[in-house]
Amino acid sequence: SEWDININRGVLTGLNEAFIIDEAKNNELQKIDPKSSNILKPLLRGRDIQKYIPDNNEKWLIATFPSLKIDINNYDAIKNYLLTFGKSIHQTGEKGSRKKTNHKWFETQDNIAFWKEFAKPKLIWKRIGSILRFCYDESGAYCLDSTCIATGSKVKFLCAVLNSKLCNQELFRLSPKTGTGDLIISVQALNPLKIPIPSETQERDICQLLDKIIDIKKIDNKADTSLIEEKID
């Protein structure tokens, strides 16, 4: 709670099947209209979050947040694609359609005024789950609301420490749980953790170990890095 970090949850689209596209559709939309790249952002879902680095996902988000005040008529390819979802994308509040809001039909359900935070180096984790996984990302990927992100000071150091056995034990002890026993890793779960602010030497040493893990995981995300992790522990 005393660290210089900001915690936000990911994006709630209101209709994932419309606003989340695969690599092929991303390429198709950009080929039709190169301007589409302005509002197509790489995306990470909760299932893509692994320890230290995310899985390669190749999913993309149509980032039409109300706070961006986008004129959809400037993006014909994306407009025509979204229109193929017909009634379901219009916010009528009727069964089978999106939750009714005051936003325009092509906009995401969330306003996401903090969208610039996604471009920063960040710590990402699943909000609810039975396995604790914190990953570090510098790709600028956006995240779905099944995750939380932390930006600010020393987030790389925090990625290493939060994945340690000690912090895992504390989070299992302190975190609220769902009825099925899954952990709810919210701001309220992280705030009580007693993590000392590191010295420059401590931060450097821990981050160097994390960099080794990340380099190995980029080659093979299932590679055994337990010996390095033990040094962090």
Side-chain angles (χ1 to χ4, degrees), residues 10-77:
V11 179
L12 180 64
T13 70
L15 191 68
N16 284 354
E17 54 266 41
F19 289 95
I20 298 174
I21 60 175
D22 59 19
E23 184 76 10
K25 179 58 69 174
N26 170 62
N27 292 337
E28 176 188 327
L29 293 173
Q30 292 199 48
K31 185 176 181 180
I32 296 171
D33 180 8
K35 295 196 307 297
S36 299
S37 63
N38 295 339
I39 54 175
L40 292 174
K41 305 297 180 180
L43 180 70
L44 294 171
R45 304 162 299 175
R47 71 191 74 173
D48 304 317
I49 305 307
Q50 304 300 326
K51 286 181 71 174
Y52 307 112
I53 67 169
D55 277 340
N56 292 324
N57 179 40
E58 297 185 344
K59 295 292 184 183
W60 294 77
L61 172 70
I62 298 176
T64 50
F65 310 135
S67 58
L68 296 179
K69 301 186 185 305
I70 288 168
D71 183 352
I72 197 64
N73 294 314
N74 292 332
Y75 300 96
D76 285 341

Side-chain angles (χ1 to χ4, degrees), residues 27 96 135 207:
N27 292 337
C135 82
C207 288

Side-chain angles (χ1 to χ4, degrees), residues 51 132 134 161-173 183:
K51 286 181 71 174
L132 293 168
F134 295 87
V161 174
L162 287 171
N163 278 316
S164 71
K165 288 180 180 177
L166 177 58
C167 277
N168 274 212
Q169 178 177 298
E170 284 296 275
L171 284 170
F172 272 102
R173 183 175 71 86
L183 299 171

Side-chain angles (χ1 to χ4, degrees), residues 76-114:
D76 285 341
I78 291 176
K79 176 183 177 180
N80 292 334
Y81 167 72
L82 291 175
L83 284 171
T84 64
F85 289 87
K87 178 181 176 181
S88 62
I89 202 169
H90 287 80
Q91 298 160 332
T92 62
E94 298 174 7
K95 185 177 180 179
S97 65
R98 291 202 287 162
K99 181 179 178 181
K100 190 173 183 179
T101 73
N102 292 324
H103 301 158
K104 297 174 182 177
W105 68 270
F106 59 86
E107 293 175 334
T108 60
Q109 185 169 320
D110 266 352
N111 192 28
I112 305 294
F114 56 87

Side-chain angles (χ1 to χ4, degrees), residues 118-132:
F118 291 109
K120 300 177 181 178
K122 58 186 177 291
L123 179 66
I124 314 171
W125 65 94
K126 284 184 68 175
R127 290 196 295 119
I128 298 175
S130 58
I131 301 174
L132 293 168

